[in-house]
Amino acid sequence: MHRPVLTSASRPLTFTVEARNERGEIEPTSIAGEHPLTLYVDKREIVTLMTLGGAPEALAIGYLRNQRLVNRLEDIESVQVDWEANAVAVVTRTGLKDAERKMGKRTVTTGCGQGTVFGELMEEIDKVMLPAEAALSEADFFGILESVRKRETIYKQAGAVHGCALCKGAEILMFVEDVGRHNAVDAIAGQMWLDGIDGGDKVFYTTGRLTSEMVIKCAQMGIPILVSRSGLTQMGYEIAQTVGLTMIGRATGKHYLLFTGEYRFKKT
């Protein structure tokens, strides 16, 4: 499988600053990193992402994948991150797919930070086919929630981030945090491409709310089951119904609400 030439340019995820507590004492405190990263494709500026900086190469690849600007990993020749310039340069073999038209039509979404969906993703979502045979048992579902709860995270240290996980059964295959949940999704999408991972038998977990953008990205990655500890929006619900996505929200402890795709969820 072709892999592009990549840098490995992760930034420190937290920084320590001094804060004064309620007793007037100076207290060293961890805060989350946040860095601008301008994406260039074939020397053309595409977007500036505000990111934690933990997985910038995967983030750039996943962004291009989820925006449908690149069709295959094989179309990407290299991804080079330069934090001195706060830039990531992507070189493709064939250029961006229909870039002028797609970049001229955009929807600003509800995502915190950068949350723009290019092109005609809303219209194209009708073409997505998710595997009906995929399933999640209630036991594995609770296992995912427990694994996420026990994980040492940037959120526990510093707050101010969202987390996303790619799971198979109760096992967490990848866990990414970023200042915007859409960045965490894109980084996982990019890493899935790099590792040749298919989404058809996977579960996607997010700490963020289930908006239209989150549902679309999950469907584009071919993942049939989406779980969140937060709530959902009307459009997110309607798109999940359209593509046949199983969507579970308000998932904390032993509580959850199963909104769509009930046939994939197996009570134990």
Side-chain angles (χ1 to χ4, degrees), residues 38-42 78-82 87-91:
T38 300
L39 171 61
Y40 295 87
V41 179
D42 299 328
S78 65
V79 181
Q80 304 290 305
V81 174
D82 179 358
V88 52
V90 175
V91 176

Side-chain angles (χ1 to χ4, degrees), residues 243-259:
V243 301
L245 184 86
T246 297
M247 187 162 62
I248 307 170
R250 304 288 181 87
T252 56
K254 295 297 182 180
H255 174 73
Y256 61 87
L257 293 173
L258 176 56
F259 289 98

Side-chain angles (χ1 to χ4, degrees), residues 55-152:
E57 296 83 7
L59 170 59
I61 292 170
Y63 179 87
L64 295 174
R65 175 187 181 180
N66 281 338
Q67 299 296 338
R68 299 281 183 94
L69 293 170
V70 174
N71 287 329
R72 307 174 305 157
L73 182 65
E74 291 78 4
D75 295 331
I76 299 175
E77 186 172 315
S78 65
V79 181
Q80 304 290 305
V81 174
D82 179 358
W83 284 115
E84 290 188 4
N86 288 325
V88 52
V90 175
V91 176
T92 70
R93 299 179 187 278
T94 58
L96 293 183
K97 177 187 174 185
D98 205 8
E100 293 295 339
R101 181 173 61 85
K102 287 192 171 184
M103 293 174 64
K105 181 178 182 180
R106 61 178 66 189
T107 302
V108 179
T109 70
T110 56
C112 52
Q114 181 275 327
T116 299
V117 179
F118 285 127
E120 300 173 343
L121 300 187
M122 295 295 190
E123 292 87 341
E124 292 178 3
I125 201 65
D126 289 336
K127 302 174 185 175
V128 172
M129 299 291 291
L130 295 174
E133 66 277 9
L136 175 65
S137 71
E138 188 178 54
D140 282 346
F141 168 76
F142 286 137
I144 291 171
L145 299 188
E146 183 66 8
S147 295
V148 170
R149 186 185 69 81
K150 290 181 176 178
R151 199 173 190 91
E152 289 300 318

Side-chain angles (χ1 to χ4, degrees), residues 1-265:
M1 184 182 65
H2 165 79
R3 284 175 64 93
V5 177
L6 302 174
T7 52
S8 182
S10 174
R11 293 296 303 268
L13 303 182
T14 62
F15 298 83
T16 300
V17 299
E18 291 185 344
R20 194 175 297 277
N21 65 24
E22 68 279 3
R23 297 181 297 275
E25 302 164 342
I26 295 296
E27 187 172 313
T29 303
S30 293
I31 62 172
E34 184 181 19
H35 312 281
L37 184 66
T38 300
L39 171 61
Y40 295 87
V41 179
D42 299 328
K43 300 183 179 181
R44 174 177 182 167
E45 182 175 339
I46 303 299
V47 69
T48 296
L49 306 168
M50 299 304 298
T51 176
L52 196 65
E57 296 83 7
L59 170 59
I61 292 170
Y63 179 87
L64 295 174
R65 175 187 181 180
N66 281 338
Q67 299 296 338
R68 299 281 183 94
L69 293 170
V70 174
N71 287 329
R72 307 174 305 157
L73 182 65
E74 291 78 4
D75 295 331
I76 299 175
E77 186 172 315
S78 65
V79 181
Q80 304 290 305
V81 174
D82 179 358
W83 284 115
E84 290 188 4
N86 288 325
V88 52
V90 175
V91 176
T92 70
R93 299 179 187 278
T94 58
L96 293 183
K97 177 187 174 185
D98 205 8
E100 293 295 339
R101 181 173 61 85
K102 287 192 171 184
M103 293 174 64
K105 181 178 182 180
R106 61 178 66 189
T107 302
V108 179
T109 70
T110 56
C112 52
Q114 181 275 327
T116 299
V117 179
F118 285 127
E120 300 173 343
L121 300 187
M122 295 295 190
E123 292 87 341
E124 292 178 3
I125 201 65
D126 289 336
K127 302 174 185 175
V128 172
M129 299 291 291
L130 295 174
E133 66 277 9
L136 175 65
S137 71
E138 188 178 54
D140 282 346
F141 168 76
F142 286 137
I144 291 171
L145 299 188
E146 183 66 8
S147 295
V148 170
R149 186 185 69 81
K150 290 181 176 178
R151 199 173 190 91
E152 289 300 318
T153 62
I154 301 303
Y155 182 82
K156 289 179 181 177
Q157 297 177 48
V161 298
H162 283 290
C164 292
L166 181 71
C167 309
K168 184 173 182 179
E171 180 186 2
I172 296 179
L173 304 179
M174 299 180 198
F175 187 85
V176 175
E177 291 175 293
D178 212 316
V179 290
R181 64 184 185 277
H182 42 78
N183 284 350
V185 179
D186 287 347
I188 287 178
Q191 197 62 50
M192 287 174 68
W193 254 9
L194 288 169
D195 293 344
I197 295 175
D198 180 76
D201 60 347
K202 307 301 188 298
V203 178
F204 198 90
Y205 171 89
T206 177
T207 59
R209 60 193 181 274
L210 301 178
T211 64
S212 58
E213 180 183 23
M214 288 296 293
V215 174
I216 287 172
K217 287 186 175 184
C218 190
Q220 285 176 322
M221 293 153 66
I223 300 173
I225 302 170
L226 176 59
V227 177
S228 173
R229 73 180 184 194
S230 188
L232 68 159
T233 66
Q234 178 186 5
M235 185 171 286
Y237 175 78
E238 290 173 351
I239 294 173
Q241 286 187 310
T242 298
V243 301
L245 184 86
T246 297
M247 187 162 62
I248 307 170
R250 304 288 181 87
T252 56
K254 295 297 182 180
H255 174 73
Y256 61 87
L257 293 173
L258 176 56
F259 289 98
T260 61
E262 184 175 350
Y263 62 94
R264 289 198 187 92
F265 192 71

